[in-house]
Structure formats: C-alpha cells, structure tokens
Amino acid sequence: FPTTLDRPDLLPGRDRPFLVALRRAATAGKLVLGEARLSREVLAPHPAQIIAALGPANLRLLNLAFDPDDVVREYRPSYPLKEGAGSITSFGGELAVRAGARLPPAPFLINFNTGPGDVPVYSLADLSACAAAGDRAYFARQFRGKIVLIGEILDIEDRFRAAKRYALTEGDTSAAPPRCRIAADPDRFRPLGSRSSMAGVLIHAAAINTLTKNIALVPLAAAPDAALRFAWFVVLGLGFFATRPVLGAAVGALALAALGGIAVVAFAQGLVMPVVPLAAGTLLVFAVTYAWRFVVEDGDRRRIQHAFRHYLAPVLVERLAEDPDALRLGGERRMVTILFSDMVGFTSLGEHLADQPDRFVDIVNRYLTVITGAIEGRHGYVDKYIGDAVMAVWGAPVPQANPEQAAVEAALDARDALVAFNADVIHGEFGRTAIGTRVGIACGEAVAGNMGSATRLNYTVIGDVVNLASRLESANTHYGTSLIVTEAVAERLDPGIVTRFLDRVVVKGKRESVPIYEVVGRAGDIDQARRATLAGFAAAVARYHQRDFAGAEAALAALDQADPVVMLYRRRAAEAILAPPPPAWDGRHELRAK
C-alpha cells in the first residue's frame, strides 16, 4: 500500500483503523511488510504504515532471484547488507523463521510440486463480507496457526515466469477452500486465461512452504551427474549408429520417456535429475549421428529427394521430410488467400501453332514459368496447373503474414514480367501479338490438406473461397479488366496498391452478393490524369447506386471511353434510364458464366 488517503485535504483519519491493526499485529510479532527494490527505485509501504509496523524491523525485501533464462527457480533466504555488515532475511525467509523454520545458508530450489489447494487462495472481498457478518469461527478454522500472505493475483502486474510455468494450477478451483461469504460473482474475477506466468505472492508462498516443510529440492551431485551423462550419451550414440532413423527415433523416444519417469520418481523424493541437458543432448546426438550417416550413406536417397522437388513444391518436400505422417488423407481449416490466373490469348496462339504442338507446349511452359516465378517470389504455393491456368495458395501449408498483400504483389509482378516475355518471346520469336493474364484473388476460410485416394494424394485447398477466386478470374472477361479481388482482399492491401470498386456481384451458384474491386496497379505507376479518372469513375458509380442514372450516365460520358468498365456502367445507366430497376434493387449484378 504505497499511498494513502489519510491527508487533511482528502480523507483525514481514513486509514486509522488500518494503522491500528498494523501496530497490534506488529506488537504481537505477527506482521511482516514487503518492499521491492528496483535499481534506484523502491516500492515500499507508505511511511505511516512502516511507522505503525514498528519500523524496518518488520520490513523485508520481496525481490526474487532470476536464472539467466528469466525464470524463478531459486529463493534467497537472506540478502547481504552493504559493506559486509551482515545480512537480513528475505520476506519469505523472515516469515518462515517466525514459524519456527531453519534457514539454509544459501539460495535453495523452490519446491513447486504442489497441487490445487496446497496454497489456498481467499478473496479479500469474501473475507470482508465474512467479518461484517461476525463469523469469527470461520477465521479461526481457516487461519489459526497459519502464515497468511495478503497480496494481489493480477493478470498483468507482479507476475513472473516460474519453474511451474508448464503446469499452472492457478485457475483450478477444484480444491479451493470453502467460502464464508460470496461477495461477488465467482466467475467475474477469474483469470483472463491460461498464462505461463505466476503471481509473485504465490511464488513467495511456495518458497515459504518449502522452508517450513523442509522440502527443498536437491540437484544431483557432481560425480553421479557426470557418470550418468557419459553413460547415457555413449549408449544412445551406439544405438543410433546401429539402427535406421525411424527405429532410432523410437529408441530415443523410449529413452526419453524412461528418463522422464525416473526423473518424476526422483523429483517426488526431492532429487532433481539433469533432465533438460540429457534430453537436449539426446536430440543433438540423434541429429549429429544421422546427419553423418546422411552425408556418408544416403547419397542416393538425397538425389531422389532432389528429384522430387521438380514435382512437389519445396515447402511440401521439406514438410514430408520432417513429418512423414503428413503423407496421408486429412485436412485442417485454414485462413488462406487463393489466386487463379489464366492466359489471355491462349486460343489464338493455339490455333496459330496447331501444326507445331511441341513449340506450343514450349511457349505455354515458358509462360507458366513466368507466372510461377512471380508466385513463388512472393512465397506462394502453386497448387496446380490446369492447362494454361494456375491456382496458387498463400497461408497453406505454411501460415503467412498478410497473404492478401503477397498474392496481389505476385499478380502485379507477373503482369510486369509478361511485358518482357512478350517482347522477347511472343513478338520476338513468333511475331504474334502480346499475351496477357487474367487474375482473380479471394481470401477466406478453406480446408487444406492431402486429398485424393489411398494411393495418390495431392495437397490442396477446397472451399467456397476457391470457387470464388476462380469465378473472379473469369469475371475479368466481362469487365475488360485483368486483376479482380474481393473486398476482403482490397481492405487488407497497403496504400501502395491502388484499387477501384467494380461491382456487387452474385457468382454462379450463390445468392449473396460480393463486392469486388479492380487492382489498378502500384501507386508509383499511376499518373495524375489516371487518378482523376478513377476519382470521377467512383463519383459516377456512387450516383448510379443512388439511382441517379441520368447523372451517372452524364458523368461517365465525360470519362475515358476507352476504359471498358466506364463503358459497361454507361450502358447500364442508359438501360436503367429506359427501364428503371425495382425499388428493392441494391445495385447487384449476377454473373451467369463460370
């Protein structure tokens, strides 16, 4: 309680009962206040409270000892004073001494091996209500002869990572003490969620338990520790050399399981085994042994793996190498971004090269190389090729940050790369007009995983978002555009990408409309005249959706008539002037083609 309201200008006399209670407890030798020293800053009780508690004799440090990994495992029974003037007991040490415990001469390992209820936690609000009701018997039953810590269990403040961070029981109320009175809804003040940190008051409680019950943990002595490590690594190393990786992994897993069982039994007796060094060393010995065998013995296997990289995405090859169980049927729900791309000019090029199928396949492969390079350059996964079409995925099999931005950047990269491709290949080698690509991008939840038969698998994604992306790719033909994205994608793009609203469409097989946008390009590539046209188009479309069809048609007539989207809306406005849509019309347009 570092502050007080007991001031002439606030609430004089407010803390008097509290200070009187502190004095009575201190006089009876039953009170220890805590303070924390952080560099030059001291978090201490209010001076009036220290005076009421009979001064520094009943004030002790709350500071905890941290290991290099910032975890609390040890507790200091005392702290040295400056210039070798002796020492002073710590907060927990002082309470333990007053309870009759003997302090060890050095820091000790806290025994957190306690279950729910071993350190009972009470609500101060409940206790206040209990005292107001005059139930003194409850206090006698629960607290007589006990060390009581008064502190806060908060979700953020005064929390530390302790050795019990992987098995916290703070939220477990199965063994909670009986409540004298229920002052508030019990669920209202539950922890916000599971955490790897522990309230400082509970760490001090565990340390006091360790001292008063004489259950401090003892590490394995140096000589037995060294002998155990030597024998462990020699036996396991020989076992790994004599077995194949799968069997070796099983042997290592069994050895680690046995180590864990022995460590648990020893731990229950207060003996701490070197589990982490042995476990980490086991993994290191396994890795080094089989890495050496891989280099020396597995050359053929490595060449086969390299060959498969031409058929599977490298990310999938790596995943299969690390997790062979992934090669089975099954899937998981993932948030993904899907890109569909299709060649513009494929039919005419095929007709021109009908008598040269080898050259036609070659040019399609070179085109797909350009598109694939752009996709993989932005960390996308090429799911499949469908003739001249490409389906790519971001967000599976590996999660990614801002996959929508990466997919759009890949589409723009592909569009830029096709400029050089057309100049060098399509026009330079074949004398044909340039080809292009139509792209549709959508994001949403889909099922990703290995799908197919028991003998042939394909890692892919399925769901409405896949169908929508495919429909948007085809929709480019209707609007005369080259890159259409959903509103969800457009909203996640950074300001460096310029988009314009296209339409509210209902794709084939669906009833709900989806707002779609055209990706115009990167901001640095768009001049002021084009920006002005885009602004005029947005204003005209707004009039169109407000049913001002005449105003929309006039505004569109003043824009670039070479823009197919402008001409499309101008035709729609003219038709709506002659035959206005019904009152319930919301501006949607149904795409009948797939």
Side-chain angles (χ1 to χ4, degrees), residues 68 251 263 322 352 533:
V251 170
E322 296 174 2
H352 176 71
T533 299

Side-chain angles (χ1 to χ4, degrees), residues 29-51:
K30 295 183 178 182
L31 176 70
V32 177
L33 298 181
E35 69 172 4
R37 294 183 178 270
L38 308 174
S39 186
R40 297 181 179 179
E41 182 180 1
V42 179
L43 302 178
H46 189 269
Q49 298 161 15
I50 296 177
I51 293 173

